[in-house]
C-alpha cells in the first residue's frame, strides 16, 4: 500500500492546500495530512482548530486522514510507514526551498522521496500568510479557504 504524507502548518488551510490534497489523494492509496506543531511559532489557530478545519475540508475524500506531529517529519513518516512526502510548489522560491528540504529529509531517511506538485494557476498566490492578513483586515474568507474554515473564522468573530 502506498502511503504519502502532506505536511504543513495549515494556519489556516487554504483552497490551494485542498487542491493539492485532492490531487495527491488520487496518486496514493492513503494520504496523511499532518499538521506540524512548531512550539517556537505562535500560530493564529491552535493545532486542534487547524485539524478541525482540515478534517471538515477533506471529509469527502475517503483515503485521506488528518493527524498532527510535534517533531521531525522524517521520524513521523517512518512511524507511519510512509515512503513519500508531498509538497505543493507555487513558484521558483518555493521550489528552491523544497529542493533543500527534500535533500535534508532524504539525509535523515534515505528511502524517503519528496514529490512536488505544482500549484494550480488560480491558487498560485494563495498562502496561509496572505489569509491571516485578510483575516486581520476583516475580509470575506470564502474566496480563500474551504467553507468549514470560513465558518470557524466567522465563529471567532474575525470575518
Ligand atoms: O506549511 P509550512 O509552514 O510551510 O510547513 C513547513 C513544515 C512544517 C513542513 C516544515 O517546517 C517541517 O517539516 N517541519 C518539521 C521539522 C522538520 O522535520 N524539519 C526538517 C527540515 S529542517
Amino acid at each position: 500500500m502506498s502511503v504519502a504524507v502532506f505536511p504543513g502548518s495549515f494556519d489556516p488551510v487554504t483552497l490551494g492546500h485542498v487542491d493539492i490534497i485532492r490531487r495527491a489523494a488520487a496518486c496514493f492509496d492513503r494520504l496523511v495530512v499532518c499538521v506540524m506543531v512548531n512550539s517556537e511559532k505562535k500560530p493564529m489557530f491552535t493545532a486542534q482548530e487547524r485539524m478541525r478545519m482540515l478534517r471538515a475540508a477533506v471529509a469527502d475524500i475517503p483515503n485521506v486522514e488528518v493527524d498532527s506531529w510535534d517533531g521531525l517529519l522524517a521520524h513521523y513518516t517512518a512511524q507511519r510507514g510512509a515512503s513519500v512526502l508531498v509538497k505543493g510548489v507555487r513558484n521558483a522560491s518555493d521550489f528552491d526551498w523544497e529542493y533543500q528540504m527534500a535533500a535534508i529529509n532524504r539525509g535523515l531517511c534515505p528511502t524517503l522521496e519528496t514529490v512536488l506538485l505544482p500549484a494550480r494557476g488560480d491558487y498560485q498566490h494563495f498562502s496561509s500568510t496572505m489569509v491571516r492578513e485578510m483575516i486581520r483586515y476583516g475580509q470575506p474568507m470564502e474566496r480563500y479557504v474551504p467553507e468549514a474554515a470560513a465558518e470557524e473564522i466567522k465563529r471567532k468573530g474575525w470575518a
Side-chain angles (χ1 to χ4, degrees):
M1 186 166 92
S2 59
V3 182
V5 171
F6 178 38
S9 304
F10 304 108
D11 184 38
V13 58
T14 70
L15 291 175
H17 291 133
V18 176
D19 180 57
I20 297 288
I21 292 169
R22 284 191 191 285
R23 288 161 54 201
C27 300
F28 302 98
D29 295 323
R30 187 148 202 85
L31 180 72
V32 184
V33 181
C34 188
V35 173
M36 303 302 292
V37 183
N38 182 342
S39 48
E40 288 179 18
K41 268 194 189 171
K42 180 88 188 77
M44 185 173 231
F45 296 90
T46 66
Q48 292 312 317
E49 288 168 338
R50 287 180 273 157
M51 288 172 75
R52 191 161 59 232
M53 289 187 273
L54 267 165
R55 283 202 175 109
V58 302
D60 64 322
I61 320 173
N63 63 332
V64 173
E65 73 173 271
V66 177
D67 197 6
S68 69
W69 180 254
D70 176 6
L72 276 178
L73 192 49
H75 292 167
Y76 180 73
T77 55
Q79 184 192 285
R80 292 301 309 248
S83 52
V84 175
L85 278 177
V86 172
K87 301 285 193 88
V89 286
R90 292 161 299 185
N91 49 42
S93 16
D94 274 2
F95 179 82
D96 283 349
W97 175 250
E98 293 304 344
Y99 189 84
Q100 289 178 53
M101 284 296 137
I104 292 169
N105 284 315
R106 200 174 330 110
L108 291 164
C109 177
T111 55
L112 187 58
E113 285 295 350
T114 298
V115 170
L116 302 180
L117 290 185
R120 223 173 78 175
D122 11 347
Y123 298 139
Q124 234 161 12
H125 61 295
F126 276 39
S127 69
S128 297
T129 307
M130 176 198 78
V131 170
R132 291 196 300 274
E133 187 74 353
M134 295 299 169
I135 292 172
R136 286 187 190 104
Y137 289 100
Q139 290 299 296
M141 281 293 112
E142 288 72 12
R143 287 168 61 189
Y144 307 114
V145 302
E147 205 180 314
E151 278 162 18
E152 177 96 24
I153 293 163
K154 261 192 208 134
R155 253 199 310 279
K156 280 177 161 285
W158 288 344

